[in-house]
Amino acid sequence: MSDRPLRLAITCYPSVGGSGILASELGEELAARGHEIHFISYERPFRMPEGPRVFFHPVKVSSYDLFKYPDYTLPLSVKMAEVSREHSLDLLHVHYAVPHATAAILARAMLHEEHRLRIITTLHGTDTMLLGRDPGYGPAIRHALENSDAITTVSAFLRRETVRLLGVQRPIEIVHNFFEPHPATRSRAAVRAELGLRDGEALLLHLSNLRPLKRIDLLLDTVARLQGRVPFKLAVLAGADSAPFAAEVARRGLGGQVVIRERVTEIEDYLQAADLGLFSSEAESFCLSVLELMSVGCPSVAFAVGGMGEVSRSGETGLLVPFGDTAALAAAAETLLLDPKKRSAMGEVGRLHARKNFSAAAIVPRYEALYRRVLAESR
Ligand code: GMT
């Protein structure tokens, strides 16, 4: 098959979340490689790139008195069909199955024979682990996966879970997430000053959407345990409304220790200023945030859940401890905070690991090869 540039649409959630971030960065990398990229979503994705060959098609959701709940799936599928027809798309790459994969299958059916649209579905985590278990969603997800032209998961763990929970019989390709850090816009010192770090204080960084799976209760338990053992501050880059979290921080008397920032776009500024990542999720199919820190040479401590061990090699690029053991998580953080040499050695191993296995150069060609294979197979 020729290596002509492809025309494809990417559908993802526009809000701050791993799947939307990954999809936006993939669009940026694909456009830089000469492909034409059309984003379709209800809002412009949070980190959607600007530039040539990148387009955004908003989906308008109407609200009718007739419906108690507004419907997004149907207008999304209509927009997918319209963009596919008008721009002669080769394929549609949907990130997160619900409702994107279902809408894509419907769009393809609406196009009939007039335009053969190929559909790639990338599963990110909760679409399988949470919604896949829900009898109100599971059969629809399975149907969309069985009818996609290709399925990928962001980790081997998630592939196993997809087969186990949804009984999908089709081949599933594992394509890990990638991260390509942009240059920081401010110095490390400037960011640390902005966060109010005093001399000798270490900066712990946590990035997440603060959803229940992130187990913020365990994060704050860990912070409380660390108090008085090492001088530090925890910066939380929140991808969601942080008011309930701020209230909990205050209730626990941790206000002096925790700084919160919402909807940060220049995350590299904070990544390069950090000494250690701190994560407490009870489930992660991958954990893009650990990779983001690793890419700039910063190790993380976290619970060994899901696909976390596919990203971070415990003892080499960071430390993983059994889920729920906040004493062990605090001890792991303390060990690395008190040993800058070990921390920077781990950071360097992690940076090289990220470059080799999770950079755009390592991962984006995997998606391109998959697109071309699907197009060649279904001609
Ligand atoms: O973590 C979330 O709640 C958001 C979710 C998403 O779909 O945006 O994240 C999932 O996808 C990320 C990108 O592939 C992964 O790094 C996260 O581990 C995964 N979250 C879970 O599996 C809980």
Side-chain angles (χ1 to χ4, degrees), residues 7-11 38 40 76-94 100-121 144 147-150 371 374-375 378-379:
R7 281 186 299 271
L8 66 137
I10 290 180
T11 286
H38 297 262
I40 304 176
L76 173 61
S77 65
V78 168
K79 182 59 77 179
M80 285 170 160
E82 184 187 303
V83 175
S84 303
R85 193 186 296 112
E86 283 175 9
H87 297 273
S88 305
L89 295 187
D90 295 303
L91 47 90
L92 185 49
H93 188 172
V94 295
H100 306 150
T102 301
I105 302 297
L106 187 54
R108 187 175 65 192
M110 278 189 268
L111 290 166
H112 303 291
E113 295 304 309
E114 121 197 44
H115 182 81
R116 170 81 173 94
L117 181 66
R118 282 78 167 185
I119 297 164
I120 316 282
T121 298
N147 287 282
S148 297
D149 292 281
Y371 300 156
V374 163
L375 286 168
S378 54
R379 255 186 309 173

Side-chain angles (χ1 to χ4, degrees), residues 322-338:
F323 173 68
D325 190 345
T326 53
L329 194 58
E334 184 181 18
T335 303
L336 293 185
L337 290 177
L338 293 177

Side-chain angles (χ1 to χ4, degrees), residues 13 16-22 96 123-127 129 154 157-158 177 209 211 213-214 281 283-289:
Y13 281 107
V16 187
S19 58
I21 291 170
L22 190 277
Y96 205 90
L123 296 170
H124 280 270
T126 42
D127 42 5
M129 297 187 291
V154 298
F157 163 80
L158 187 57
N177 286 331
N209 50 30
R211 288 194 194 125
L213 280 171
K214 305 295 172 186
S281 303
E284 284 294 346
S285 63
F286 184 90
C287 201
L288 196 55
S289 305

